[in-house]
Amino acid sequence: MADGGALYGSHPWHWYLEGLAVTLGTFLPFCCVGVGLGVKHFPSQLFAVGISICLLSLASHKEYRFLLPFFPIFSLLTGQGLQKTIGQLQEERTAKLTCLTIVFLPQIIAALFFCLVHQRGAEAVMAHLRQHPAGDDGVFFLTACHATPFYSFVHGQGPLGYLDCSPGQGSPQKRFFEQPMPVLREIFPEALHNATERAPPKGAALKHCLEYRYRKSWQLPEVFVLWGSLLAHEPRMGQWLEINRYQLEVELQDGVWSEGPYDVELWPSFSIW
């Protein structure tokens, strides 16, 4: 039997142990203390949590978000462990303040960084499109799938299209970032192309795949949203945009680093044309 989950990536069985350490961060030691205290008072609940995480570990595909339902329990355990640790410091006020600073200051810094700086470009793009709505021709995203919010953020009626990233044999998204120009010919056959560009391979199923999934109109959109480094990896992409009378409207930074179509990049960005 084929493992459908593995199409989205696979991880070792112990991956959630790392996931707990990453997501709990500085709360981890106190959560462990809380687990030790909880074994005596509510073992059945802890047993249920442990069994659930073990069952999740049997799946080949794992994500940190699958641990979110357990975080209310982890928070309670962390609170108990922190209270126990602080109580053992007796009347040493300086030690208590130092302990609390070590625990909460990194959490506050991380919260500010990941909420205000890291990968902020996705919401900035949609905020720009909401303030400057496209016309009936809509917007097309030449980015990784799910790189930005969509209709739920824009609250508009204009068509939005993006590259199909369905798992299988060579998704259109993967093909596009490997060879952008031939794939553009398939998606937008009415567009102007450089005379030197090769024609798309015969029998390509990209148009059919996109036709019933995301985009039913094959006219050029009013707006393109590009992954910033796309132009650096494919200079002809800029020429294609100019030939079809697109101009750069704004470039929006996406934080310090991001894992995009070309692996991890420093100072990533989105550009709106």
Side-chain angles (χ1 to χ4, degrees):
M1 181 180 295
D3 184 359
L7 293 171
Y8 298 93
S10 58
H11 307 83
W13 65 269
H14 54 79
W15 193 79
Y16 280 125
L17 296 178
E18 172 194 339
L20 287 173
V22 170
T23 52
L24 287 172
T26 54
F27 292 155
L28 180 62
F30 304 99
C31 186
C32 293
V33 174
V35 170
L37 297 173
V39 170
K40 300 178 181 178
H41 302 292
F42 38 89
S44 59
Q45 290 87 341
L46 291 178
F47 179 76
V49 171
I51 289 296
S52 299
I53 294 178
C54 288
L55 291 175
L56 288 173
S57 298
L58 296 178
S60 58
H61 180 67
K62 303 175 179 66
E63 297 183 26
Y64 288 162
R65 62 191 176 101
F66 296 162
L67 296 174
L68 291 180
F70 306 106
F71 266 78
I73 298 176
F74 294 152
S75 298
L76 293 174
L77 294 173
T78 299
Q80 286 191 332
L82 187 59
Q83 182 182 30
K84 177 71 172 179
T85 303
I86 294 296
Q88 290 177 344
L89 296 177
Q90 297 177 354
E91 300 300 327
E92 300 179 17
R93 183 175 181 180
T94 302
K96 291 181 179 181
L97 290 175
T98 301
C99 180
L100 292 174
T101 301
I102 293 174
V103 173
F104 288 104
L105 183 59
Q107 296 284 343
I108 294 173
I109 294 174
L112 293 174
F113 175 76
F114 287 107
C115 290
L116 302 178
V117 178
H118 183 63
Q119 295 186 351
R120 64 185 180 183
E123 291 189 3
V125 166
M126 304 313 287
H128 180 87
L129 295 177
R130 185 166 61 186
Q131 295 172 1
H132 305 84
D136 294 337
D137 292 332
V139 183
F140 200 91
F141 292 77
L142 295 175
T143 64
C145 286
H146 317 299
T148 66
F150 227 51
Y151 287 106
S152 61
F153 198 105
V154 175
H155 300 294
Q157 298 181 354
L160 304 177
Y162 63 96
L163 299 166
D164 183 7
C165 58
S166 302
Q169 297 179 350
S171 70
Q173 176 204 247
K174 182 178 180 181
R175 291 174 53 202
F176 173 77
F177 285 105
E178 289 175 351
Q179 293 184 323
M181 305 315 298
V183 176
L184 282 175
R185 280 184 172 271
E186 298 179 46
I187 302 177
F188 305 107
E190 70 172 23
L192 299 175
H193 301 274
N194 292 337
T196 57
E197 297 297 338
R198 294 182 302 170
K202 294 182 178 180
L206 176 63
K207 181 176 179 180
H208 171 72
C209 182
L210 286 173
E211 189 171 9
Y212 78 93
R213 293 281 317 255
Y214 302 122
R215 189 172 177 82
K216 298 180 181 179
S217 172
W218 295 102
Q219 296 179 353
L220 282 169
E222 181 176 333
V223 176
F224 273 114
V225 177
L226 273 64
W227 182 249
S229 61
L230 175 60
L231 296 177
H233 284 81
E234 179 51 88
R236 292 176 298 176
M237 184 74 209
Q239 300 174 5
W240 184 86
L241 289 168
E242 293 177 358
I243 289 175
N244 289 281
R245 300 182 179 179
Y246 288 94
Q247 295 180 347
L248 178 63
E249 182 175 359
V250 64
E251 185 170 1
L252 301 170
Q253 297 301 314
D254 194 35
V256 180
W257 80 86
S258 181
E259 186 174 356
Y262 303 106
D263 297 326
V264 178
E265 301 179 22
L266 292 177
W267 310 112
S269 65
F270 293 93
S271 60
I272 299 179
W273 293 73

